[in-house]
């Protein structure tokens, strides 16, 4: 136990990743800069959601929380819930694209746009953002890192551990961005709303299955925590059950929240469409 | 195609280890600590030896004496070749485990068992390197407190490379077979 942990000890990173600091700080600076430049007003809710998402991601990767995550299974599951679900979800529902674009210095924006136009990058992005591919990637990564032999070495090897957390964060951002914005090539169609809701439902099922299995299987799956030493006197079975429950319930709940947000987007889009139509169903030019 | 088959054959001839291999997953042996005579020690002092690194504390009732007892019995059974093995018992309870106390404690086990400890900073550096945690229970620092620690033994070959992990449920036979094999591998050129 860390009975007397000072704020300084809590906020200093256990494993310092300069890239996390740069990315989070950069995102906040660009966003705040963008708020003053973007035409129209961005509501407080959207701003708060974006900043909260970025801060959460930073906190779970660059504070004492990361140390706890390495030594308690249930804290590790909480860390991934934030990296793969909640943090990217909060960022994506803020629809921060225009604000970030407005906040990026013109020179940097030109370079990024040039990189973005390169066919390999565009094609890879379009491919991983296809709903089926994105869904398989999202669930596949959860299964991969929770597969006991892989999990063992990921917790033992600092490089694999970093790769695991980065892969969850990047995939989380890609996935929730696609859910909230649609995928390349589908911007002008209405059907994607239903597909996104269906996808959210489908990805919840395997997460419920693996979470329930971890929580209820009744035998120890992850002995790496005994090898490396737990930091709190929590029974290994309780640690595993709690971790399983976190993988099972809040993760599936995120699908539900996602569905509600997409449904709301859908209704707004329908309403906009209604408003631009005449009584006999013709779209006004 | 033939090359691939030859490679596969070469790989399969090597029997798997009976305990868990961590080859390539953990950094080489490196530390700065104090031994049970109060002398400062570092990894270089054990060059050419097969080193087993184990974290614990002398007031421990179960894991530590059981593990050190098992390793001692294995070393004893291996006999002469085991002269090149060392068990570094790293006490993560330096408040109670003075060098003198560690010297008395390790006497109960095989002569290859060496008690080492250090400052909190030294211990933190070593435990971070091998990604192990330790923490103190109720009543710390006064009274009879428990220490939570890692339960595994990290095994390094003669070159200081991390090779194996002995876990609590590994049998003495499995540990003996793997230790024998590691000891028979040639020392550094």
């Amino acid at each position: 136990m860390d009975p007397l942990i000072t704020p300084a000890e809590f906020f200093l990173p256990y494993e310092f990743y300069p890239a996390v600091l740069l990315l989070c700080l950069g995102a906040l600076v660009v966003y705040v800069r963008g708020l003053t430049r973007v035409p129209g007003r961005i509501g407080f809710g959207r701003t708060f959601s974006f900043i909260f998402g970025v801060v959460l991601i930073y906190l779970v990767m660059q504070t004492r929380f990361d140390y706890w995550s390495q030594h308690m299974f249930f804290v590790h599951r909480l860390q991934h819930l934030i990296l793969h679900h909640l943090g990217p979800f909060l960022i994506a529902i803020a629809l921060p694209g225009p604000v970030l674009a407005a906040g990026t210095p013109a020179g940097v924006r030109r370079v990024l746009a040039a990189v973005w136009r390169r066919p390999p990058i565009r094609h890879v992005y379009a491919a991983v953002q296809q709903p089926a591919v994105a869904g398989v990637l999202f669930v596949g990564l959860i299964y991969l890192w929770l597969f006991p032999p892989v999990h063992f070495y990921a917790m033992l090897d600092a490089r694999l551990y970093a790769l695991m957390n980065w892969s969850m964060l990047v995939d989380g951002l890609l996935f929730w961005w696609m859910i909230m914005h649609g995928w390349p090539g589908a911007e002008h169609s209405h059907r994607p709303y239903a597909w996104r809701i269906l996808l959210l439902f489908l990805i919840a099922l395997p997460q419920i299955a693996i979470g329930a299995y971890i929580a209820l299987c009744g035998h120890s799956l992850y002995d790496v925590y005994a090898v490396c030493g737990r930091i709190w006197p929590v029974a290994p079975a309780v640690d595993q059950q709690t971790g399983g429950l976190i993988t099972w319930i809040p993760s599936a709940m995120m699908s539900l929240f996602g569905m509600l947000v997409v449904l709301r987007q859908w209704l707004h889009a329908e309403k906009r469409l209604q408003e631009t139509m005449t009584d006999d169903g013709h779209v006004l030019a | 195609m033939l090359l691939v088959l030859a490679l596969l054959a070469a790989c399969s001839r090597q029997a798997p280890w009976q305990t868990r291999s961590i080859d390539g997953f953990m950094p080489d042996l490196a530390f700065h600590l104090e031994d049970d005579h109060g002398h400062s020690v570092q990894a270089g002092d054990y060059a050419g030896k097969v080193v087993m690194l184990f974290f614990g504390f002398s007031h421990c009732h179960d894991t530590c004496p059981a593990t050190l007892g098992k390793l001692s019995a294995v070393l004893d059974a291996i006999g002469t070749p085991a002269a090149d093995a060392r068990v570094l018992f790293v006490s993560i309870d330096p408040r109670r485990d003075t060098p003198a106390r560690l010297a008395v404690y390790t006497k109960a086990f095989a002569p290859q068992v060496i008690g080492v400890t250090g400052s909190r900073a030294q211990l933190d550096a070593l435990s971070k390197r091998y990604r192990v945690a330790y923490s103190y229970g109720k009543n710390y620092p006064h009274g009879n407190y428990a220490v939570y620690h890692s339960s595994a033994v990290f095994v390094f070959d003669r070159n200081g490379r991390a090779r194996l992990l002995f876990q609590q449920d590994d049998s003495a036979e499995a540990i003996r077979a793997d230790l024998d094999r590691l000891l028979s591998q040639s020392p550094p050129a």
Side-chain angles (χ1 to χ4, degrees):
Chain A
M1 242 184 295
D2 291 312
L4 291 170
I5 183 167
T6 63
E9 277 170 337
F10 178 78
F11 282 108
L12 278 178
Y14 184 66
E15 210 86 62
F16 177 54
Y17 305 119
V20 177
L21 181 66
L22 279 178
L23 204 70
C24 291
L25 207 60
L28 291 183
V29 169
V30 167
Y31 189 86
V32 170
R33 195 164 172 270
L35 279 180
T36 60
R37 284 154 208 254
V38 74
R41 227 180 65 83
I42 302 295
F44 172 76
R46 278 173 67 182
T47 302
F48 178 80
S49 179
F50 180 82
I51 292 176
F52 190 45
V54 173
V55 168
L56 271 183
I57 288 169
Y58 178 83
L59 286 179
V60 296
M61 285 183 99
Q62 291 291 269
T63 62
R64 197 77 185 164
F65 193 91
D66 184 45
Y67 171 72
W68 300 335
S69 309
Q70 294 177 23
H71 294 285
M72 299 300 287
F73 180 67
F74 85 88
V75 186
H76 151 77
R77 292 318 303 156
L78 272 178
Q79 187 188 41
H80 275 201
L81 181 67
I82 288 168
L83 287 181
H84 201 204
H85 292 80
L86 188 58
F89 175 87
L90 288 171
I91 290 173
I93 60 168
L95 304 175
V99 183
L100 290 174
T104 309
V108 179
R109 203 160 56 218
R110 269 197 300 277
V111 173
L112 287 179
V115 171
W116 191 243
R117 274 195 299 272
R118 297 184 84 91
I121 291 184
R122 226 158 14 101
H123 291 159
V124 168
Y125 180 74
V128 297
Q129 293 297 68
Q130 284 308 303
V133 179
V136 169
L137 266 178
F138 190 84
V139 172
L141 275 176
I142 297 173
Y143 273 69
L144 170 74
W145 294 116
L146 280 173
F147 182 50
V150 174
H151 194 79
F152 191 94
Y153 290 111
M155 284 296 167
L156 219 52
D157 187 324
R159 296 158 302 177
L160 277 181
Y161 179 79
L163 177 70
M164 168 174 76
N165 283 353
W166 275 107
S167 70
M168 291 314 253
L169 175 60
V170 170
D171 181 62
L173 287 169
L174 283 172
F175 180 82
W176 292 104
W177 192 271
M178 183 274 285
I179 288 294
M180 296 309 159
H181 292 76
W183 52 92
E187 292 87 353
H188 306 295
S189 156
H190 265 219
R191 284 177 54 219
Y193 289 108
W195 281 112
R196 277 138 71 179
I197 289 173
L198 178 68
L199 180 62
L200 284 170
F201 173 72
L202 290 177
I203 62 149
L205 302 178
Q207 293 184 76
I208 290 169
I210 194 171
Y213 178 75
I214 292 169
L216 304 175
C217 74
H219 59 266
S220 168
L221 292 171
Y222 304 109
D223 47 358
V224 69
Y225 297 92
V227 166
C228 292
R230 286 186 169 79
I231 41 171
W232 297 313
V234 174
V238 175
D239 189 18
Q240 182 176 322
Q241 279 161 8
T242 313
L245 286 175
I246 292 169
T247 313
W248 171 5
I249 295 165
S251 313
M253 291 291 285
M254 291 305 299
S255 270
L256 186 67
F257 295 143
M259 287 180 200
L260 292 176
V261 176
V262 175
L263 203 60
R264 188 161 164 270
Q265 286 183 357
W266 195 356
L267 293 176
H268 274 273
E270 290 288 334
K271 219 168 103 192
R272 271 202 307 275
L273 195 69
Q274 294 277 318
E275 283 162 6
T276 56
M277 278 200 286
T278 57
D279 287 341
D280 51 348
H282 289 292
V283 178
L284 290 173
Chain B
M1 187 67 193
L2 275 174
L3 188 72
V4 171
L5 282 176
L7 276 173
L8 279 175
C11 289
S12 59
R13 222 179 298 138
Q14 191 81 341
W17 297 91
Q18 297 187 30
T19 58
R20 198 188 274 265
S21 166
I22 53 167
D23 201 354
F25 288 104
M26 295 233 100
D28 293 348
L29 188 63
F31 61 84
H32 288 276
L33 295 168
E34 279 175 17
D35 70 7
D36 41 20
H37 299 293
H39 302 310
S40 88
V41 284
Q42 47 187 347
D45 300 337
Y46 299 98
K49 303 270 187 281
V50 169
V51 174
M52 286 163 269
L53 191 69
F54 178 60
F55 297 83
F57 65 115
S58 72
H59 284 75
C60 178
H61 299 298
D62 36 55
T63 317
C64 303
T67 306
L68 292 176
K70 195 184 331 187
L71 291 179
S72 295
V74 168
L75 290 170
D76 201 37
I78 290 175
T80 321
D84 271 355
R86 292 288 180 275
V87 177
L88 293 183
F89 175 63
V90 182
S91 169
I92 31 71
D93 184 17
R95 217 191 65 80
R96 288 184 299 193
D97 286 339
T98 58
R101 186 183 158 89
L102 276 177
V104 171
Y105 180 73
T106 53
K107 271 215 178 69
F109 303 101
Q112 292 97 327
V113 178
I114 300 162
V116 290
T117 188
S119 64
R120 286 298 297 273
Q122 286 173 322
L123 294 170
D124 283 348
L126 182 63
S127 54
K128 185 172 180 179
R129 185 172 177 87
Y130 294 103
R131 299 176 70 76
V132 298
Y134 68 92
S135 56
Y136 304 112
K138 274 203 306 258
N139 301 330
Y140 179 81
H142 307 291
N144 191 16
Y145 54 90
V147 183
Y148 308 104
H149 59 92
S150 138
S151 71
V153 181
F154 297 87
V155 189
F156 300 83
D157 68 14
R158 293 175 187 273
N159 298 312
R161 186 179 165 90
R163 297 293 293 275
L164 297 169
L165 195 66
F166 295 161
Q167 289 171 258
Q168 285 301 303
D169 47 2
D170 284 328
S171 69
E173 292 73 39
I175 290 176
R176 182 184 169 170
D178 283 358
L179 205 54
D180 238 343
R181 187 167 147 195
L182 209 56
L183 281 163
S184 70
Q185 293 181 355
S186 57

